[in-house]
């Protein structure tokens, strides 16, 4: 591969936009306790500007602003500003009390008692009670509730999975309302990340009175879009712009400084960069949109670019229900023939790390070397020959490689198209689709190889492994394995941390041997913001929160 040729081409066309079907929240962005701002409004070093307006680029239309239906980072970028769960991930990456004023955990770590804050209410004035959360969670777990792919995030709760699959009753789910302010939650097994889950959007409350009267309440801004977070959904001009306003009735409103957040929907990364340079945007890049490749070297040189770890993996899914990808040796051959080091050094250039494992190094540092050698063409040829023999073929038919619209995805796909042709003699047809259409194609199995990725919802390896436990949901590979699923179930019951990790490692070993996907790189956050934007933490989970942000005088 002529990397000089590719580097020149991608300098002109590549952008770092990566939008996935996963979400999260987590850690610091520059190694100083969750903030890269330096100044603190309480320290006397910065003074609040009179105009507390922030403008960012959301890049694209959020697929769903219903907490129980959303499955992607774009939607989460809005939801995490306008809603709030029992907990919220703080600037230090740790869960803190939010709608709950007190949390008690039993000695066996299987029962959580949440006390709802005094006086908390919806934006329409309705009170928020323990019953609010119980009803919202049970709505997600109701087998008749549509488009609830993330219901499995509630499965740590006793009886939740049985209720969702129709094998049990919603009445038997371990969610008990003791009184107006007390919610008791019983878990199937000790779940060390449960307070991270209660900060996740699937656990957000929804005003059921409004939702029952208007099933399309979340389709537009208006009086029926009732929320409880630090901001309100003021305007939603579809495929154009979202405007958020400070929520005066939010329980912690006195610590929310931003008055207005305008979210543009500019799909072209170079246009967004120009807007940033012209002062029309205050933030550029992760986790909302992208920094164009051509801008990365000069921004690094001038010191304006920020790069931080992100718990996520960029990969290509194989549809294991379609030939030739039912054959694991064919899957292995294609995976090993990818030059990941070349991609991250010559294309992405955002300090991403080559991925030869599923769980990212931000969670498991030992996955740095992974399960196979990067760009192992000779071994890839061996696997290809073996796979062709097993399939009774002389050569592979043309493979269709699909990806959603993005110059970055396109650039990587073109490079891998060349790699597979040069190394293995495999012809590859590229197929580009708009994001929502692309998601439909993946979920319906209308693809062979598809660009995808996963950002952690919480900082635990099981979040990556459990995606592939069963067919369905966001497991677009359609691969499943009984031994793999058994190990995950065992890990959920294991209370010894070291033993639990060993079970999860065994599961990942099975997964990487079967290779239902080809990992490509581990993500990083790559972004910049104006100097006057303060106290906006960017997490390892690829999320951003504006609750603590403010505009300093400039």
């Amino acid at each position: 591969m002529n990397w000089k040729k590719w580097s020149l081409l991608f300098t002109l066309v590549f952008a770092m936009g990566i939008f996935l079907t996963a979400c999260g929240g987590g850690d610091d962005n520059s190694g100083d306790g969750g903030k890269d701002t330096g100044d603190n409004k309480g320290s006397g070093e910065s003074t609040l500007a009179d105009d507390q307006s922030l403008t960012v680029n959301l890049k694209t239309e959020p697929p769903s602003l219903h907490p129980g239906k959303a499955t992607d980072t774009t939607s989460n970028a809005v939801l995490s500003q306008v809603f709030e769960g029992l907990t919220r991930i703080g600037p230090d990456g740790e869960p803190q009390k939010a709608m709950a004023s007190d949390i008690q955990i039993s000695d066996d770590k299987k029962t959580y008692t949440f006390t709802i804050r005094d006086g908390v209410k919806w934006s329409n004035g309705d009170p928020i009670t323990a019953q609010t959360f119980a009803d919202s969670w049970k709505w997600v777990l109701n087998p008749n509730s549509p488009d609830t792919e993330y219901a499995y995030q509630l499965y740590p709760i006793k009886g939740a999975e049985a209720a969702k699959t129709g094998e049990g009753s919603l009445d038997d789910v371990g969610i008990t309302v003791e009184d107006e302010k007390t919610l008791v939650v019983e878990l199937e097994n000790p779940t060390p990340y449960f307070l991270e889950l209660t900060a996740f959007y699937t656990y957000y409350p929804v005003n059921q009175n409004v939702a029952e009267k208007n099933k399309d309440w979340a389709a537009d801004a208006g009086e029926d879009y009732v929320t409880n977070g630090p901001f309100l959904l003021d305007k939603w001009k579809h495929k154009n712009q979202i405007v958020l306003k400070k929520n005066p009735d939010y329980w912690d409103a006195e610590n929310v400084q931003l008055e207005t957040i305008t979210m543009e929907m500019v799909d072209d990364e170079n246009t967004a960069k120009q807007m940033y340079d012209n002062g029309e945007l205050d933030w550029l890049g992760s986790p909302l949109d992208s920094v164009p490749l051509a801008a990365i070297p000069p921004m690094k040189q001038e010191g304006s670019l920020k790069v931080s770890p992100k718990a996520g993996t960029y990969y290509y899914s194989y549809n294991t229900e379609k030939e030739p990808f039912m054959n694991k040796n064919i899957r292995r051959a294609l995976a090993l023939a990818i030059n990941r080091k070349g991609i991250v050094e010559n294309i992405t250039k955002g300090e991403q790390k080559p991925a030869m494992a599923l769980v990212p190094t931000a969670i498991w540092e030992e996955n740095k070397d992974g399960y196979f050698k990067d760009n192992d063409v000779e071994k890839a040829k061996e696997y290809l020959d073996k796979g062709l023999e097993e399939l009774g073929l002389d050569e592979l038919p043309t493979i269709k490689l699909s990806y959603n619209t993005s110059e970055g995805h396109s650039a990587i796909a073109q490079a891998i198209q060349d790699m597979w042709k040069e190394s293995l003699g495999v012809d590859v047809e590229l197929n580009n689709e708009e994001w929502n259409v692309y998601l439909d194609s993946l979920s319906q199995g209308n693809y062979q190889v598809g660009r995808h990725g996963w950002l952690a919802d919480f900082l635990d390896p099981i979040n990556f492994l459990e995606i592939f436990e069963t067919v369905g949901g966001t497991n677009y590979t359609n691969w499943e394995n009984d031994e793999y699923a058994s190990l995950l179930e065992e890990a959920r019951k294991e209370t010894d941390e070291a033993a639990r990790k060993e079970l999860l490692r065994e599961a990942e070993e099975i997964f990487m041997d079967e290779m239902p996907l080809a990992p490509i790189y581990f993500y990083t956050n790559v972004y910049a913001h104006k100097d006057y934007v303060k106290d906006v933490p960017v997490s390892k989970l690829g999320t951003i929160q504006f609750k603590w942000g403010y505009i300093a005088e400039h």
Side-chain angles (χ1 to χ4, degrees):
M1 160 107 12
N2 186 339
W3 283 110
K4 289 183 179 179
K5 175 190 76 173
W6 281 110
S7 184
L8 175 62
L9 172 63
F10 297 144
T11 296
L12 298 175
V13 305
F14 182 73
M16 296 294 298
I18 310 296
F19 285 84
L20 311 175
T21 56
C23 285
D27 202 286
D28 69 273
N29 52 15
S30 65
D32 62 352
K35 302 175 183 178
D36 66 357
T37 58
D39 296 336
N40 185 288
K41 59 183 179 292
S43 68
E45 297 176 19
S46 293
T47 304
L48 290 173
D50 291 335
D51 184 5
Q52 290 296 312
S53 300
L54 179 75
T55 303
V56 300
N57 182 31
L58 192 59
K59 187 178 175 72
T60 188
E61 175 84 356
S64 177
L65 292 187
H66 186 310
K69 296 183 179 184
T71 61
D72 67 290
T73 54
T74 305
S75 300
N76 184 36
V78 182
L79 290 171
S80 59
Q81 321 310 325
V82 299
F83 281 92
E84 184 167 88
L86 294 166
T87 56
R88 175 180 287 272
I89 302 300
D92 62 355
E94 296 296 324
Q96 58 180 222
K97 288 174 279 192
M99 283 286 110
S101 60
D102 184 66
I103 303 169
Q104 299 295 323
I105 306 172
S106 64
D107 291 340
D108 66 0
K109 302 189 186 312
K110 292 173 65 174
T111 302
Y112 286 67
T113 302
F114 298 93
T115 302
I116 308 301
R117 286 187 184 276
D118 290 335
V120 288
K121 55 185 177 180
W122 291 104
S123 54
N124 68 350
D126 290 349
I128 297 173
T129 66
Q131 192 69 50
T132 305
F133 284 90
D135 291 345
S136 300
W137 296 358
K138 287 186 177 183
W139 182 88
V140 175
L141 292 173
N142 190 322
N144 298 320
S145 294
D147 305 320
T148 50
E149 289 183 12
Y150 258 23
Y152 72 84
Q153 297 288 17
L154 293 161
Y155 287 178
I157 300 173
K158 185 177 180 180
E161 183 174 9
K164 187 63 178 178
T165 58
E167 296 176 2
S169 168
L170 284 169
D171 294 334
D172 296 329
V173 175
I175 303 170
T176 303
V177 177
E178 286 199 346
D179 56 48
E180 193 173 79
K181 292 182 61 178
T182 309
L183 181 72
V184 179
V185 183
E186 298 175 78
L187 306 184
E188 292 278 7
N189 302 292
T191 305
Y193 48 86
F194 187 64
L195 292 182
E196 289 185 64
L197 283 176
T198 54
F200 188 62
Y201 57 78
T202 311
Y203 282 76
Y204 289 166
V206 166
N207 189 312
Q208 295 299 317
N209 291 331
V210 172
E212 287 171 7
K213 293 175 184 175
N214 178 10
K215 64 181 178 61
D216 295 321
W217 67 272
D220 289 288
E223 62 180 20
D224 281 349
Y225 198 83
V226 177
T227 62
N228 70 323
F231 300 96
L232 305 174
L233 184 65
D234 185 57
K235 297 177 183 175
W236 186 359
K237 301 176 183 177
H238 291 279
K239 299 186 178 180
N240 186 324
Q241 184 188 75
I242 282 175
V243 178
L244 309 181
K245 294 286 188 182
K246 179 178 175 178
N247 180 2
D249 294 323
Y250 177 58
W251 69 270
D252 198 27
E254 65 179 353
N255 289 313
V256 178
Q257 304 300 332
L258 291 171
E259 295 288 343
T260 304
I261 302 170
T262 301
M263 297 177 158
E264 305 289 357
M265 298 181 197
V266 178
D267 190 54
D268 182 77
E269 294 90 347
N270 293 300
T271 301
K273 174 62 166 63
Q274 187 174 19
M275 292 173 67
Y276 181 78
D277 291 341
N278 292 341
E280 299 170 70
L281 293 176
D282 301 309
W283 192 285
L284 180 71
S286 303
L288 299 168
D289 70 338
S290 315
V291 178
L293 177 62
I296 290 178
M299 290 178 73
K300 276 186 176 179
Q301 189 170 1
E302 70 188 25
S304 65
L305 192 74
K306 303 177 188 303
V307 179
S308 66
K310 186 187 290 188
T313 306
Y314 186 107
Y315 56 81
Y316 278 3
S317 288
Y318 301 124
N319 186 346
T320 62
E321 289 186 342
K322 289 186 181 292
E323 291 289 7
F325 301 102
M326 296 171 75
N327 184 282
K328 76 175 181 181
N329 285 309
I330 298 299
R331 303 195 296 262
R332 289 167 166 174
L334 295 172
L336 269 62
I338 296 172
N339 183 349
R340 294 158 181 80
K341 187 171 184 287
I343 288 172
V344 300
E345 290 183 354
N346 297 282
I347 302 179
T348 64
K349 294 186 177 180
E351 300 181 23
Q352 295 87 354
K353 304 299 180 185
M356 285 77 74
L358 174 61
V359 179
T361 51
I363 294 177
W364 271 348
E365 190 176 346
E366 57 265 47
N367 272 356
K368 178 181 177 182
D369 296 326
Y371 293 84
F372 57 89
K373 181 182 172 184
D374 183 31
N375 194 30
D376 192 348
V377 175
E378 291 308 310
K379 192 69 175 176
K381 289 178 178 177
E382 291 178 19
Y383 283 136
L384 178 63
D385 289 343
K386 188 174 181 181
L388 289 173
E389 182 180 348
E390 289 168 348
L391 293 170
L393 298 174
D394 294 326
E395 61 180 18
L396 286 183
T398 299
I399 291 171
K400 180 181 283 189
L401 171 57
S402 302
Y403 57 91
N404 58 294
T405 304
S406 161
E407 288 179 335
H409 301 329
S410 175
I412 293 172
Q414 289 176 55
I416 291 178
Q417 178 187 42
D418 276 6
M419 292 172 192
W420 286 348
K421 179 64 176 177
E422 287 185 19
S423 300
L424 303 177
V426 176
D427 290 320
V428 178
E429 174 190 343
L430 300 183
N431 176 48
N432 169 56
E433 294 178 340
E434 186 270 333
W435 179 232
N436 286 322
V437 175
Y438 181 68
L439 285 180
D440 286 342
S441 296
L442 291 181
S443 62
Q444 293 169 16
N446 296 330
Y447 82 103
Q448 284 188 299
V449 182
R451 184 221 72 86
H452 196 37
W454 192 261
L455 296 182
D457 301 319
F458 48 90
L459 292 175
D460 191 278
I462 201 168
N463 185 227
F464 286 80
L465 298 166
E466 68 184 359
I467 304 166
F468 307 99
E469 190 169 3
T470 56
V471 169
T474 50
N475 178 11
Y476 302 129
T477 69
N478 295 311
W479 173 89
E480 60 184 356
N481 178 287
D482 289 342
E483 184 181 359
Y484 178 84
S486 178
L487 285 166
L488 295 187
E489 191 56 36
E490 226 183 309
R492 291 190 180 99
K493 298 174 183 176
E494 181 56 65
T495 56
D496 180 81
E497 188 176 333
R500 178 178 182 269
K501 181 175 181 179
E502 182 57 33
L503 290 167
L504 295 176
R505 294 292 296 180
E506 287 180 35
E508 189 183 41
E509 286 175 11
I510 291 173
F511 186 85
M512 295 309 302
D513 177 66
E514 289 282 324
M515 205 81 78
L517 58 78
I520 298 174
Y521 64 74
F522 298 132
Y523 283 104
T524 54
N525 292 303
V526 180
Y527 64 101
H529 60 71
K530 301 298 186 182
D531 290 341
Y532 51 77
V533 177
K534 306 293 185 181
D535 288 9
V536 177
V538 175
S539 77
K540 271 187 182 180
L541 298 166
T543 60
I544 190 168
Q545 296 197 57
F546 297 114
K547 170 179 174 174
W548 301 282
Y550 69 102
I551 304 298
E553 276 191 354
H554 57 282

